[in-house]
Amino acid sequence: MPPLGYLAHRANESYKLSQKWQENPLRGELEAIRDEVFNQSLANLFAQTVRNLVEESGKWWSLGRSSNLDRIETIVFRVKEQVFEVNEDNESHLKHGHILQEGMKVLKTFVVSCPHITAHYDITSQEKNSRRLAKMEKAEAEAVQQDQQRHESIQHQLRSLTPSDPDTKIQAYFMGDPDKEAYLLPQDHLITTYNDIMWHLCFRELVQAPELWARREDPNVQPWTTSGRHWIYVSGDEPISETVFDIVEMATVSNCYIVALVDNGERERPVPVGVPIFGKETCCDLPCGSLRVHLESVWTGVRVEHARLFRSKKCVLETPLDSKNFGVRKNELYVKVMTRTEEDLRTATIEPSP
């Protein structure tokens, strides 16, 4: 059995390798693969398997080059090359799936070939390897099934579209920069869920940590303006059912926030407003005591005339701003303001209240 000092040293080396994964060139290659294929579940599993094997290799070999690390890198490069060689057609997802599964087949050979697994090989080690291989096989089967179900769901949606729908562009606006033109995304087989939109925006380096709000219009939900415009927070792998979105950049807001519909008489738009957690935080160093006082303190040059909830139509001007009175990640607040210039409102809302 290796001495404890040696084991501690290898554990430290493993930690270093894990920390360096963010800088590993393989990470970029795996992200490129995932961005190219429809088979997101299988691509994610392939990427996680590669990372696990790279980090396990670091436990038993030096952090420098090794034959197994070179082999893993070669597999990733080969898979990426084959993925990008596939011509886009109705069966491209099947071809990509086959390529990824072939890559997984090679990666699984490392389970029984890595020295740290075959060292002191006995019945117990054999059983562990068998269980691990069975777990990998199950995860792969589930990933294939998830991708197939997603493909069938999307095909069902596409069959129900009108002839003009395939040319529809997804419009992404940015709450922190209301004067910026919408960024247009193609609504194709690569962008079919809310997560796909966020991944695309991050990959294009348009945002760092986006949250997505679907824009809708219904006077029965939002009765305060003629448009009935309001926003719904959306996320996850749900199929896209809207074409217009507004993006919140989480680098500019607190994690606990609401979206207010702000109307200055000429223009209405969504504005993120930081909300303190009830009983734990205050909106400012000295609590403002009411929504009106707080908004007028953070929106320079703004006078708040009205503040009402959508459904109850309750006036909340004098209501304390906290998570008890306002639902986090909800758009249920209408605020009517008067400003000297539009610039006052625009610049004042870039940095919502903490």
Side-chain angles (χ1 to χ4, degrees):
M1 179 177 179
L4 292 178
Y6 175 79
L7 292 177
H9 171 71
R10 300 320 300 170
N12 184 52
E13 294 294 280
S14 176
Y15 172 77
K16 289 180 180 178
L17 185 63
S18 179
Q19 291 294 98
K20 287 186 176 181
W21 175 254
Q22 298 299 320
E23 303 172 4
N24 194 309
L26 285 182
R27 181 170 174 264
E29 301 297 317
L30 293 168
E31 288 178 351
I33 293 172
R34 185 172 62 178
D35 193 51
E36 182 68 15
V37 304
F38 172 86
N39 319 62
Q40 292 294 291
S41 296
L42 195 53
N44 286 334
L45 179 63
F46 178 78
Q48 187 60 51
T49 304
V50 169
R51 176 173 179 175
N52 290 344
L53 289 171
V54 168
E55 293 183 350
E56 287 175 5
S57 298
K59 295 177 183 178
W60 290 88
W61 292 295
S62 67
L63 290 178
R65 308 301 295 170
S66 74
S67 59
N68 268 32
L69 290 176
D70 285 339
R71 287 175 57 201
I72 295 172
E73 190 173 272
T74 299
I75 294 168
V76 173
F77 288 150
R78 185 187 305 147
V79 168
K80 178 189 174 185
E81 181 181 7
Q82 293 176 352
V83 161
F84 276 81
E85 287 177 351
V86 173
N87 294 322
E88 187 173 326
D89 55 34
N90 291 334
E91 295 186 349
S92 58
H93 69 288
L94 297 175
K95 299 172 184 176
H96 286 153
H98 177 72
I99 293 169
L100 288 167
Q101 285 184 283
E102 287 298 310
M104 285 293 300
K105 183 187 297 184
V106 180
L107 292 178
K108 281 181 281 190
T109 64
F110 284 82
V111 175
V112 293
S113 66
C114 290
H116 72 282
I117 295 177
T118 57
H120 311 294
Y121 198 78
D122 54 24
I123 297 299
T124 303
S125 299
Q126 186 177 8
E127 290 177 351
K128 288 182 178 178
N129 288 351
S130 297
R131 286 197 298 268
R132 185 176 182 190
L133 283 171
K135 185 177 181 180
M136 293 175 70
E137 294 284 356
K138 181 180 178 181
E140 183 177 339
E142 290 175 348
V144 171
Q145 183 180 16
Q146 289 169 4
D147 288 331
Q148 181 61 28
Q149 290 174 344
R150 180 179 170 218
H151 180 265
E152 292 174 355
S153 174
I154 291 169
Q155 290 302 309
H156 176 74
Q157 285 184 304
L158 291 175
R159 286 192 292 269
S160 66
L161 294 174
T162 61
S164 61
D165 284 332
D167 296 326
T168 299
K169 297 290 185 181
I170 298 172
Q171 304 174 56
Y173 292 86
F174 300 89
M175 290 194 195
D177 191 355
D179 296 322
K180 187 175 183 179
E181 292 185 0
Y183 178 78
L184 301 181
L185 298 83
Q187 190 168 2
D188 56 21
H189 71 285
L190 294 178
I191 302 179
T192 59
T193 70
Y194 299 126
N195 278 348
D196 291 338
I197 296 177
M198 293 188 285
W199 168 255
H200 180 91
L201 294 173
C202 290
F203 183 79
R204 299 296 178 185
E205 298 184 347
L206 297 171
V207 288
Q208 296 178 12
E211 288 198 342
L212 204 60
W213 291 74
R215 185 187 299 185
R216 299 178 181 176
E217 295 184 356
D218 186 350
N220 293 321
V221 175
Q222 190 276 102
W224 298 108
T225 65
T226 56
S227 71
R229 186 171 294 173
H230 61 285
W231 287 261
I232 302 292
Y233 172 73
V234 293
S235 64
D237 286 324
E238 294 297 319
I240 297 170
S241 58
E242 300 87 358
T243 58
V244 183
F245 298 88
D246 288 82
I247 311 300
V248 171
E249 172 57 84
M250 292 303 294
T252 65
V253 301
S254 64
N255 187 54
C256 191
Y257 73 97
I258 63 173
V259 168
L261 171 61
V262 179
D263 178 11
N264 70 349
E266 298 179 357
R267 184 180 186 183
E268 57 185 76
R269 67 183 186 86
V271 178
V273 177
V275 176
I277 300 174
F278 176 73
K280 293 185 178 181
E281 303 171 342
T282 58
C283 58
C284 299
D285 293 337
L286 295 176
C288 297
S290 72
L291 178 67
R292 182 212 299 266
V293 174
H294 177 74
L295 294 182
E296 290 183 349
S297 68
V298 297
W299 293 347
T300 306
V302 171
R303 180 163 59 90
V304 178
E305 290 191 328
H306 302 289
R308 294 183 179 274
L309 300 180
F310 288 174
R311 296 188 183 276
S312 69
K313 300 183 179 181
K314 175 184 176 182
C315 177
V316 290
L317 275 176
E318 306 306 322
T319 301
L321 179 64
D322 56 44
S323 59
K324 177 183 177 181
N325 295 312
F326 298 92
V328 175
R329 282 175 177 74
K330 299 287 187 181
N331 170 228
E332 54 189 11
L333 175 65
Y334 168 77
V335 179
K336 179 65 179 294
V337 300
M338 293 294 293
T339 58
R340 290 190 294 269
T341 65
E342 176 67 14
E343 180 70 10
D344 283 339
L345 183 57
R346 189 188 73 82
T347 57
T349 56
I350 291 177
E351 190 71 31
S353 59

